[in-house]
Amino acid sequence: MSDLSKRHILLGMSGGIACYKSAELCRALIKAGATVQVILTEAAAQFVTPVTLQALSGRPVYVSQWDPREPNNMAHINLSREADALVVAPASADFMAKLLHGRADDLLSLSCLARPMRRVPLILAPALNREMWQHPATQRNVAQLRADGAQVLGVGEGDQACGETGDGRMLEPEEILAELVAFFQPKTLAGQRVLVTAGPTFEPLDPVRGLTNRSSGKMGFAVAQAAREFGAEVILVAGPVHLETPRGVRRVNVETALEMQTAVQAEMNQADVFVATAAVADWRVEGGSTQKIKKAQGEPVPTLALTENPDILGQVAASARAQSGALYCVGFAAESHDLIAHAQAKRERKGVPLLVANLGPATFGRDDNALTLIDAQGVHEMPPNRKIELARQLMAEIARRLPKKT
Ligand code: CTP
């Protein structure tokens, strides 16, 4: 299953130079498994051609409300009823002003007005010059469109096609895609604050060398993304990995286990859920050198003295128990053999209600995985899948186990 499998997106474009980015968006939606029907306004067709979008979407593009290809000549009804969402990207200042008044003088605005509101959400990705974006009329229109039930995405900041710099440019195609994928997830973690650790830690030996492990951080980043998609506020404490921060997630970068412990302690009291996916180094080098250790002819090979790192999850779980379990703790276990026996023992030892076990060497660095959930009720297998899909299934399981917020 891809992120947008079985979703049909009606992709509307109004006039703006950002139309060229929406051609990329169309392609990205299709790559994510969606089917896409494009509608261009006449202004949009000045920036990209129907031929471009037909080639990318694999479907004829509609521009006119008088298009005779529809047997009943009601493209606005037919197209809007088969869609799972109507996405207007770019949404120009003029187009938003028009929607606000319920005007419907072209096929795209007609489709926005005619869509079954409760079943087909309207998602707008504004694209404006910075002065136009800041103008009180635009801000008023955006607020009213939101009040009328449209989901108006934010805008990007930076260089604009007009040569100016500031807020207002359309989000990048992958950002709009991420918003759309998130939109379709259930919001069962809304109002919850989720703290996640991810990646390896790096324990320096000297300024250029250190001890680390093969964790890629991918599972933890997927957990953070899924928690955000489910509506939670997410803080991701990440060891040294080169992964992009999931959209909407607050990231705190750390290097060592001690830094990770400090970052977690700073956040844990405000969190409702703690998911420890990090592969924390069990030991650090005692008395690491501040200067590079040189190898000198005839000198003996240095020996490393190691000291134990704190058990971050163990400590957090103990303090959660002391505060009558206000923080729901989830541990991960990467084992190489006897997965269930080791994981059951680890769940007891760490004192957590839920432990997620996986075979470490088989999953490091990959985009897929298989998980085994272990709690007081027993063992629940999650068969092989993409890490993001497993992370979503895990979030659903966690949401089910959380006490209801009053
Ligand atoms: N963990 C942690 N702090 C540590 C070590 C582990 O928070 N110093 C967390 C991990 O993030 C994971 C869980 O504890 O959620 C299990 O980690 P693991 O290293 O597999 O367990 P250990 O207790 O170190 O056991 P072992 O290495 O013997 O398997």
Side-chain angles (χ1 to χ4, degrees), residues 197 273-278 311 313-314 317 328-334 343 346-347 350-358 371-374 394 398:
T197 62
V273 180
F274 177 48
V275 188
T277 74
D311 180 350
L313 174 63
Y328 188 82
C329 293
V330 182
F332 264 68
K346 198 166 282 181
R347 178 179 164 273
K350 302 262 177 183
V352 292
L354 179 62
L355 192 115
V356 184
N358 61 159
L371 302 179
T372 305
L373 267 52
I374 294 170
L394 176 61
I398 291 175

Side-chain angles (χ1 to χ4, degrees), residues 156-298:
E157 188 265 338
D159 293 342
Q160 303 202 308
C162 52
E164 298 180 1
T165 304
D167 284 345
R169 71 180 199 189
M170 192 174 81
L171 295 180
E172 296 304 317
E174 63 274 18
E175 293 175 311
I176 299 175
L177 176 67
E179 293 275 1
L180 201 57
V181 170
F183 183 84
F184 286 117
Q185 299 303 326
K187 297 293 173 267
T188 45
L189 289 176
Q192 307 282 353
R193 196 181 283 216
V194 178
L195 175 61
V196 182
T197 62
T201 65
F202 180 88
E203 310 297 330
L205 166 59
D206 69 15
V208 296
R209 306 181 180 95
L211 299 178
T212 188
N213 58 61
R214 293 178 58 209
S215 163
S216 65
K218 285 184 177 176
M219 192 66 226
F221 275 59
V223 165
Q225 178 184 332
R228 178 72 196 137
E229 289 175 351
F230 275 50
E233 185 186 336
V234 183
I235 303 103
L236 172 62
V237 178
V241 290
H242 297 284
L243 292 176
E244 230 170 89
T245 311
R247 192 164 169 71
V249 165
R250 177 154 66 83
R251 175 173 180 173
V252 181
N253 282 326
V254 297
E255 198 154 81
T256 65
L258 291 179
E259 287 170 9
M260 186 171 275
Q261 180 192 33
T262 305
V264 166
Q265 281 173 348
E267 301 288 348
M268 60 182 266
N269 290 334
Q270 297 85 49
D272 302 290
V273 180
F274 177 48
V275 188
T277 74
V280 184
D282 287 315
W283 306 283
R284 65 179 179 277
V285 179
E286 201 167 39
S289 171
T290 52
Q291 291 189 328
K292 186 180 174 195
I293 303 168
K294 301 297 287 180
K295 91 178 163 295
Q297 206 83 65

Side-chain angles (χ1 to χ4, degrees), residues 293-376:
I293 303 168
K294 301 297 287 180
K295 91 178 163 295
Q297 206 83 65
E299 290 280 319
V301 175
T303 48
L304 295 183
L306 301 179
T307 186
E308 195 163 338
N309 270 328
D311 180 350
I312 302 171
L313 174 63
Q315 288 177 351
V316 173
S319 107
R321 279 195 307 279
Q323 294 165 34
S324 61
L327 176 62
Y328 188 82
C329 293
V330 182
F332 264 68
E335 307 292 347
S336 62
H337 59 286
D338 294 335
L339 183 68
I340 292 178
H342 278 133
Q344 274 167 334
K346 198 166 282 181
R347 178 179 164 273
E348 299 280 323
R349 196 166 69 244
K350 302 262 177 183
V352 292
L354 179 62
L355 192 115
V356 184
N358 61 159
L359 285 169
T363 181
F364 283 146
R366 295 177 57 107
D367 290 323
D368 48 10
N369 199 357
L371 302 179
T372 305
L373 267 52
I374 294 170
D375 67 5

